[in-house]
Amino acid sequence: MRLNRGRERGQVGMTVLLIMVVMVTIAVAVASRSVTNLNLTRLEQESTRSLDLAESGIDEILNLISQDATKIGSNFRARIQEKDVFVSTSRLTSIDSLPVDEGHTIEIALAPATTTMRIQWGDGSECTDPDNVAAIEVTFIKEDSANYYAKRQAFDRCDRANGLEIDNDYDVTITDVNKDGSSDLGEYQVARIKVLYATTNLTVTGTGLPDQGIKATATASDSEETTTTVAKYQYRGSLPSIFDYVVFSGTTIQ
């Protein structure tokens, strides 16, 4: 009987010990998870603050550059909320996959040295659903002896019987505005690209294109553990699309 009682006491002790081990394990797991959640919350907050710092730094430097364009291409250190934000700037001579809504227009600056302009758009899809396939209209404008002249070209992936030139690759390279065999692109100062039928992304490159905008990249840290880098592209402004109708109608806007 004494032996059995000893065994029973030993079993009870082992059971209690196992229960305590399980409880301690659960407590440690819960505590670890709580600490992890707190760390994640802290990191998220610091990341948000770093993002705000970087964006504020970019805005401050772009405002500075707008007053002195000679500073484009320089590196800056902005002081935002007692934190250092490092901003680098560079000139953009091309447009890279810029989303443009249907009916909207972007402007591309041209120069005497401009000999080619390549425009890419669309996603390569076929014309099974033309309502979702974009076309483009390009208006070239130049000033000569206080007179303004405009020429227009248009390109479409789909054959909609709309009189636009059919382009099967969403990719055109323009050198001859007047289509008379001459390379006269450099005679024009501006090319206005209007998106028709559907929203699309526009990529514009070329030979001899002048500056089209500014790229600003900012790096900010809210702590030793969180560093955020943000890039912002600022392209030249564009007159609204109705301007093109005024050019070709010969009337004025009241």
Side-chain angles (χ1 to χ4, degrees):
M1 294 294 293
R2 292 180 179 176
L3 182 60
N4 289 337
R5 288 179 180 176
R7 289 179 178 176
E8 290 175 357
R9 290 174 181 172
Q11 291 175 352
V12 170
M14 289 295 294
T15 302
V16 171
L17 180 60
L18 288 173
I19 292 174
M20 291 179 63
V21 169
V22 171
M23 292 179 65
V24 169
T25 302
I26 293 173
V28 170
V30 171
S32 298
R33 184 169 183 178
S34 298
V35 171
T36 300
N37 289 338
L38 288 173
N39 286 335
L40 288 175
T41 300
R42 177 178 57 81
L43 290 174
E44 288 176 357
Q45 292 174 345
E46 291 176 352
S47 295
T48 299
R49 287 194 294 267
S50 294
L51 177 61
D52 291 340
L53 289 171
E55 291 179 337
S56 297
I58 285 179
D59 291 339
E60 180 173 310
I61 298 306
L62 288 178
N63 181 62
L64 175 66
I65 287 176
S66 68
Q67 303 171 39
D68 185 0
T70 62
K71 295 183 180 296
I72 300 174
S74 302
N75 297 325
F76 303 87
R77 183 177 67 179
R79 191 70 175 171
I80 308 293
Q81 298 176 13
E82 299 185 354
K83 301 283 186 179
D84 286 331
V85 180
F86 298 92
V87 183
S88 62
T89 60
S90 59
R91 300 175 184 273
L92 296 173
T93 57
S94 62
I95 306 294
D96 184 18
S97 194
L98 177 67
V100 182
D101 291 334
E102 182 271 332
H104 287 222
T105 301
I106 67 169
E107 283 190 0
I108 303 298
L110 305 176
T114 305
T115 56
T116 64
M117 182 175 68
R118 181 184 182 186
I119 308 172
Q120 297 168 283
W121 75 99
D123 57 4
S125 59
E126 298 297 330
C127 289
T128 53
D129 185 8
D131 290 339
N132 293 319
V133 178
I136 60 170
E137 177 185 86
V138 188
T139 301
F140 300 91
I141 300 174
K142 70 176 179 179
E143 179 187 7
D144 186 8
S145 301
N147 295 314
Y148 288 87
Y149 301 88
K151 288 285 185 177
R152 183 163 53 187
Q153 298 183 18
F155 306 91
D156 197 349
R157 173 69 174 82
C158 306
D159 187 1
R160 306 178 220 241
N162 53 13
L164 304 189
E165 182 176 332
I166 304 300
D167 180 86
N168 293 325
D169 298 320
Y170 299 101
D171 188 338
V172 295
T173 298
I174 300 171
T175 60
D176 180 7
V177 176
N178 293 317
K179 294 189 175 182
D180 57 4
S182 63
S183 180
D184 56 2
L185 184 60
E187 298 176 8
Y188 292 80
Q189 285 86 45
V190 174
R192 290 173 52 82
I193 305 173
K194 182 178 181 179
V195 172
L196 308 174
Y197 300 116
T199 296
T200 191
N201 290 342
L202 289 178
T203 295
V204 183
T205 56
T207 304
L209 286 176
D211 292 349
Q212 306 298 327
I214 306 167
K215 177 184 178 182
T217 304
T219 300
S221 298
D222 187 63
S223 69
E224 294 182 355
E225 296 179 291
T226 56
T227 299
T228 300
T229 299
V230 176
K232 184 174 183 178
Y233 297 80
Q234 185 179 77
Y235 296 108
R236 58 178 287 137
S238 175
L239 292 170
S241 299
I242 193 174
F243 175 77
D244 300 319
Y245 296 104
V246 175
V247 168
F248 287 99
S249 68
T251 60
T252 58
I253 299 177
Q254 300 297 328

